[in-house]
Amino acid sequence: MLRSVTRTTVLQLLHTNVSDLVPRGRRLADPVWRQRHRSMVVLIVAHAVGFAVYGAMTNAGAPAIAFQAGPPAAAAALAVAPWLRRSWRSFAAVLGLLSSSALLLQATNGRTDSHFHFFVMIAIIALYQQWSTFGLAFGFVLLHHAVIGVLAPDVVFDTPAAQQRPLLWTAVHGGYILAACAASMVAWRLIEKERERAERVLDSTAEGVYEVDTDGRITFANSAVGRILGCDEERLLGRDHHDALSHDAGEPGAEDRSVCMACAVTTKISGRSAKSTFRRHDGAAFPVECTGHPVVEKGRQIGSVMTFRDRTTQAMLTRQALYDDLTGLANRSLLLEHLEHALARIDRNRTALAILFCDLDEFKPVNDTFGHAAGDELLMVVSGRLQEAVRAHDTVARFGGDEFVALCTDLASERDALTIAERFLEALREPIVVSGQQVQISASVGLTVTTNPSSAPELLLGEADAAMYRAKEKGRNRVEVFDEELRARATKRLQLEDELRTAIAQGELRVHYQPKVSLISGALAGVEALVRWQHPELGLVRPAEFLAVAEESGLIVPLGQYVLEESCRQLARWRTRGGVWERCTLSVNLSCQQLAHTDLVETVRAALHATGVPGERLCLEVSEQVLMDDAPLTIDTLRSLKRLGVTLAVDDFGTGFSSLSYLTNAPIDVLKVDRSLVSTLHQAKESWSVVAAALGLSRCLGLSAVAEGVEQTDQADALRDLGCEHAQGYHFAAPQSAAALEALLDTETGCLAAISGLKIEHG
Ligand code: C2E
Ligand code: CA
Ligand code: CA
């Protein structure tokens, strides 16, 4: 058993080692073969001449000379015959070389020393790196020794022992030849391995690498060459590289453009050209950057190595990186680049530059009413008109959506900039036709002017943006200039951001809870967590004062995480009290930034896990505005959240002004009817109808409804009559601290009971 295992292992080892030494026998590239074959032919001819000269010197006579020199000469003739295939020409050379050995042996009457000639020839034949030539060589030697050895032993062997037993000695010599072949093969394999390694390295680069001889003919090409040109790189071997690759081969001036192709081949100078054009196999031209390096041996140039890189994708990427896809205008990056250059020039030219931030008014309704394609069409018309309104050297960029920013340079004063801004408004005054309909659009423009070369580009953009916001505030379709008032506002905003950052770090945030009650049973159905800031000087600050800054600065993400974790912890504590608290749900508001944040799902999962709150007790509220954007990423995140078992609510339902289509796409469970609808419920018949419609809609879609901002008894009554299940509002309880809420619910006179005709259940 053990012995058979050992034998198998030894055989396996032997097999792997031996098979590793066997050449894979890849066909030599034509130019390489041609070079080696030429040397063989020269060698054969040298033998033929040698035999002839020797015959003449020894007065051997014409027939003897012809017999000696004839076979190699004939073989050499066949080896160069153009009508013969490459392999036949190799065979002819093999026969020429070995017949020379045989004739030498004969001429020296089988001298042992002359047998060495065979070995030298075998070593030379190995240069063909081809199994069949080895086979032919071995067969030739074997046959020659056996046949001549039997017919005329003294022609092949000079010792009496060998002459008596020619077949035995033929076998011995055959063995040596076989060994010589084997040694050559091992050498061949080792060279092959080196070559494979080099090719592996060359093939792994994305650059095309090829080699040419001094005539410009391709002697090697890596696989990238084939890949880039769309053909088999082997087919290029032997062709003139200019004809095979260059797009403008033969055209006037082409040599200049692909200067490196020429100079590296004929002169010993390396060349580089970033503007060459190559041609793919299908004839299509493409831009390349190419370099050529001369290969010099002993001071003589023997060829060149050329490399080239397809610049198509690079050119495309550059375009994508700097220009807006839709309008072809510059994008933010390119505008910033131009702005930096313009700032650097301010000093020299002693002029001013202006940034105009232009935001379309009411673009979203156009998009929602006529569709995205029409919206795109409108943006293209707008971009064209804005570009016409500036001078040729100014830059108009699109910052995404309906925001356009213009950089105007070489201005004499702010007045010039204002003129351009007015031209923007004027340019949009004429209605735009999209989808066969006339659309009237306007813009709010914010403007900032600087003569200071060390202004920070991002800051200037911020100034123009702030001015644009004031234009919106002041009623749109107007121009506002960044001034001291706005500067003070911006400073205050930055200060607030700083303070808020510290507040989050130092634990100044609090969570207040507003109860949600069942309009049917009066029971506490849930609580909504609402953030507060316990400011050291200002006292308790409402979110309206700081949420906008939190959103803009990204601080909303850690803030939201705190509210989520803290309120889950609070709910877990309440749940231990049993009774109504156990059935209580917790609603937490999510901002759009949180939804876009990759960690959101994980944060929610972790908060539930850490507190043991069941998923179905947590309701996440997303504002209607966020859902209306209908971004696929938002919907994906909402679906992932749903998989945690949580419910999702549409917050502020009824404040969006158009599309309701998101209701069918987003995985929503609850509609929270906005306070603005509830507040006028009892005042106008129309409001009553709108709320009734919203509640009807939620019923049809199988969603539950919560009315927000209920402040009066008759509002609560009306909502109950309309079949609304739940409500929130000051009428029941204002948002308050956890402790205050507990106390409220523990007393019989808690304001939750204020709802008429309802008895509140207590825990
Ligand atoms: P919301 O989600 O619509 O919250 C309801 C807001 O209406 C709360 O304002 C609440 O105090 C107020 N409210 C409740 N009942 C009545 C009522 O009967 N009458 C009136 N006039 N108001 C009532 P608050 O707490 O100032 O929060 C304002 C908004 O800030 C919230 O609106 C919510 O969108 C946002 N917010 C609050 N906390 C967070 C939070 O932790 N994260 C996020 N992302 N947003 C939050
Ligand atoms: Ca809410
Ligand atoms: Ca709300």
Side-chain angles (χ1 to χ4, degrees):
M1 169 78 175
L2 187 71
R3 200 182 299 158
S4 87
V5 170
T6 326
R7 204 175 51 207
T8 331
T9 326
V10 169
L11 281 177
Q12 269 173 358
L13 259 170
L14 215 65
H15 178 253
T16 29
N17 284 329
V18 170
S19 64
D20 192 40
L21 291 175
V22 175
R24 305 295 178 259
R26 237 181 62 183
R27 195 180 139 93
L28 283 182
D30 268 335
V32 182
W33 172 85
R34 213 175 294 124
Q35 202 182 20
R36 296 186 183 183
H37 184 68
R38 209 181 296 142
S39 315
M40 310 265 184
V41 173
V42 169
L43 195 63
I44 300 167
V45 171
H47 274 88
V49 173
F51 286 134
V53 171
Y54 180 72
M57 278 165 58
T58 53
N59 297 322
I65 292 177
F67 177 74
Q68 284 269 315
L78 281 177
V80 294
W83 40 268
L84 268 184
R85 293 231 317 265
R86 181 178 134 164
S87 52
W88 289 107
R89 288 165 68 185
S90 306
F91 293 157
V94 169
L95 293 178
L97 291 169
L98 290 176
S99 64
S100 301
S101 300
L103 290 164
L104 180 73
L105 197 63
Q106 190 198 349
T108 56
N109 293 324
R111 269 185 76 114
T112 306
D113 312 343
S114 302
H115 281 266
F116 294 135
H117 196 273
F118 278 105
F119 293 100
V120 176
M121 293 302 116
I122 291 292
I124 290 169
I125 287 164
L127 291 175
Y128 277 123
Q129 296 189 350
Q130 205 178 320
W131 289 94
S132 50
T133 48
F134 266 122
L136 181 67
F138 177 64
F140 181 97
V141 176
L142 214 61
L143 211 66
H144 165 265
H145 279 41
V147 174
I148 312 283
V150 169
L151 295 180
D154 54 335
V155 170
V156 183
F157 305 110
D158 64 345
T159 58
Q163 284 168 1
Q164 273 160 23
R165 307 180 72 179
L167 284 181
L168 174 70
W169 284 93
T170 296
V172 172
H173 282 219
Y176 282 129
I177 292 291
L178 206 57
C181 286
S184 300
M185 278 187 194
V186 172
W188 167 14
R189 175 64 194 146
L190 293 178
I191 296 168
E192 207 177 55
K193 271 178 146 180
E194 281 304 309
R195 188 191 157 92
E196 279 168 6
R197 187 162 54 189
E199 280 183 2
R200 248 194 325 269
V201 173
L202 279 170
D203 284 346
S204 69
T205 79
E207 291 195 359
V209 180
Y210 65 91
E211 195 184 37
V212 291
D213 59 18
T214 41
D215 297 330
R217 268 196 300 267
I218 302 174
T219 52
F220 165 83
N222 73 345
S223 58
V225 172
R227 213 167 40 235
I228 298 173
L229 299 180
C231 65
D232 183 359
E233 64 271 14
E234 304 265 334
R235 292 184 50 183
L236 298 171
L237 301 178
R239 291 187 57 190
D240 180 283
H241 74 142
H242 208 266
D243 291 343
L245 302 171
S246 181
H247 173 62
D248 29 38
E251 279 178 23
E255 294 298 315
D256 295 341
R257 283 197 291 282
S258 51
V259 65
C260 73
M261 292 180 94
C263 77
V265 173
T266 51
T267 69
K268 288 184 205 165
I269 305 166
S270 291
R272 179 175 173 279
S273 157
K275 286 209 193 91
S276 294
T277 309
F278 277 13
R279 177 169 32 88
R280 270 185 243 285
H281 192 58
D282 59 10
F286 64 102
V288 292
E289 180 182 327
C290 65
T291 57
H293 299 284
V295 180
V296 179
E297 249 182 38
K298 292 189 188 141
R300 199 170 65 90
Q301 179 165 1
I302 56 162
S304 303
V305 174
M306 322 292 289
T307 65
F308 67 90
R309 196 156 56 92
D310 186 350
R311 282 180 46 243
T312 316
T313 32
Q314 192 197 358
M316 249 161 57
L317 285 177
T318 312
R319 217 191 134 70
Q320 269 170 10
L322 298 177
Y323 294 90
D324 175 52
D325 270 352
L326 176 68
T327 58
L329 292 179
N331 65 10
R332 190 188 180 99
S333 313
L334 188 57
L335 185 105
L336 275 171
E337 207 178 297
H338 286 192
L339 179 52
E340 272 168 30
H341 287 301
L343 283 167
R345 281 201 319 264
I346 279 188
D347 246 359
R348 214 180 324 135
N349 302 353
R350 301 200 171 279
T351 52
L353 69 77
I355 303 278
L356 286 80
F357 211 110
C358 176
D359 190 289
L360 300 188
D361 305 324
E362 311 287 353
F363 171 68
K364 201 169 172 342
V366 175
N367 227 3
D368 290 342
T369 317
F370 300 103
H372 285 283
D376 286 354
E377 215 179 302
L378 181 128
L379 290 173
M380 303 232 290
V381 175
V382 169
S383 83
R385 291 195 189 171
L386 294 185
Q387 229 171 356
E388 275 171 30
V390 297
R391 293 151 312 160
H393 62 269
D394 295 336
T395 307
V396 180
R398 179 169 170 235
F399 273 26
D402 56 352
E403 284 180 351
F404 296 86
V405 176
L407 162 68
C408 303
T409 54
D410 301 325
L411 304 172
S413 67
E414 188 180 295
R415 188 63 252 149
D416 285 2
L418 267 170
T419 312
I420 298 175
E422 297 290 350
R423 278 215 297 269
F424 274 6
L425 298 188
E426 189 55 46
L428 298 180
R429 218 146 269 160
E430 192 189 325
I432 296 171
V433 179
V434 284
S435 298
Q437 301 249 15
Q438 280 205 348
V439 178
Q440 186 69 59
I441 198 109
S442 65
S444 301
V445 183
L447 168 66
T448 190
V449 179
T450 186
T451 49
N452 177 6
S454 47
S455 312
E458 287 286 357
L459 217 65
L460 286 175
L461 287 177
E463 289 179 5
D465 190 26
M468 183 274 290
Y469 268 103
R470 194 167 59 189
K472 291 256 184 220
E473 281 166 23
K474 287 197 174 170
R476 310 173 165 205
N477 192 20
R478 55 186 290 136
V479 182
E480 281 291 315
V481 183
F482 186 79
D483 56 13
E484 282 317 308
E485 184 207 320
L486 281 174
R487 194 180 304 281
R489 249 209 249 178
T491 318
K492 213 171 131 206
R493 194 206 151 280
L494 278 179
Q495 211 176 330
L496 183 62
E497 185 184 323
D498 261 5
E499 282 181 11
L500 185 59
R501 188 169 286 119
T502 323
I504 296 173
Q506 297 187 343
E508 290 174 11
L509 294 185
R510 302 283 176 269
V511 183
H512 277 194
Y513 300 90
Q514 180 174 42
K516 174 177 84 179
V517 298
S518 158
L519 283 171
I520 300 151
S521 70
L524 173 81
V527 290
E528 176 172 3
L530 295 158
V531 70
R532 300 287 180 268
W533 177 3
Q534 188 64 56
H535 197 281
E537 289 144 34
L538 302 174
L540 203 62
V541 183
R542 294 278 295 252
E545 307 292 322
F546 59 89
L547 273 191
V549 170
E551 284 269 2
E552 283 165 32
S553 59
L555 286 172
I556 190 76
V557 175
L559 181 149
Q561 186 172 349
Y562 167 76
V563 173
L564 175 76
E565 289 169 356
E566 174 53 28
S567 58
C568 281
R569 277 194 293 271
Q570 183 57 54
L571 183 66
R573 282 195 287 273
W574 276 333
R575 285 169 62 78
T576 59
R577 304 173 112 226
V580 75
W581 291 107
E582 234 171 343
R583 295 189 296 277
C584 178
T585 58
L586 166 69
S587 297
V588 175
N589 295 286
L590 284 187
S591 78
C592 72
Q593 276 229 34
Q594 275 174 286
L595 265 176
H597 205 264
T598 45
D599 287 346
L600 177 68
V601 179
E602 208 28 62
T603 307
V604 174
R605 190 202 314 273
L608 292 174
H609 182 77
T611 54
V613 168
E616 70 270 16
R617 292 282 154 220
L618 178 65
C619 176
L620 297 173
E621 299 191 357
V622 184
S623 93
E624 184 178 45
Q625 312 283 343
V626 171
L627 290 169
M628 267 182 357
D629 283 345
D630 212 9
L633 221 67
T634 310
I635 304 288
D636 280 354
T637 313
L638 293 178
R639 295 213 171 104
S640 307
L641 287 170
K642 288 278 315 180
R643 282 196 284 275
L644 300 178
V646 305
T647 51
L648 298 175
V650 185
D651 207 350
D652 310 330
F653 180 74
T655 51
F657 36 76
S658 47
S659 161
L660 287 177
S661 65
Y662 71 87
L663 284 175
T664 51
N665 290 338
I668 291 301
D669 311 285
V670 182
L671 284 193
K672 295 195 76 174
V673 181
D674 191 65
R675 183 160 60 90
S676 54
L677 298 181
V678 173
S679 63
T680 51
L681 196 54
H682 55 293
Q683 291 166 1
K685 180 97 184 67
E686 293 76 26
S687 311
W688 194 90
S689 307
V690 173
V691 175
L695 293 172
L697 184 67
S698 83
R699 260 195 299 280
C700 289
L701 294 171
L703 313 176
S704 70
V706 180
E708 292 188 295
V710 179
E711 294 181 345
Q712 292 161 15
T713 314
D714 43 5
Q715 288 170 348
D717 290 344
L719 286 163
R720 184 154 28 89
D721 292 345
L722 283 168
C724 181
E725 289 167 77
H726 295 114
Q728 262 174 262
Y730 294 165
H731 176 59
F732 309 106
Q736 51 204 291
S737 69
L741 187 62
E742 276 169 32
L744 176 68
L745 283 162
D746 284 346
T747 56
E748 289 290 327
T749 54
C751 65
L752 275 113
I755 183 163
S756 65
L758 281 180
K759 257 186 79 64
I760 301 300
E761 285 178 19
H762 292 278

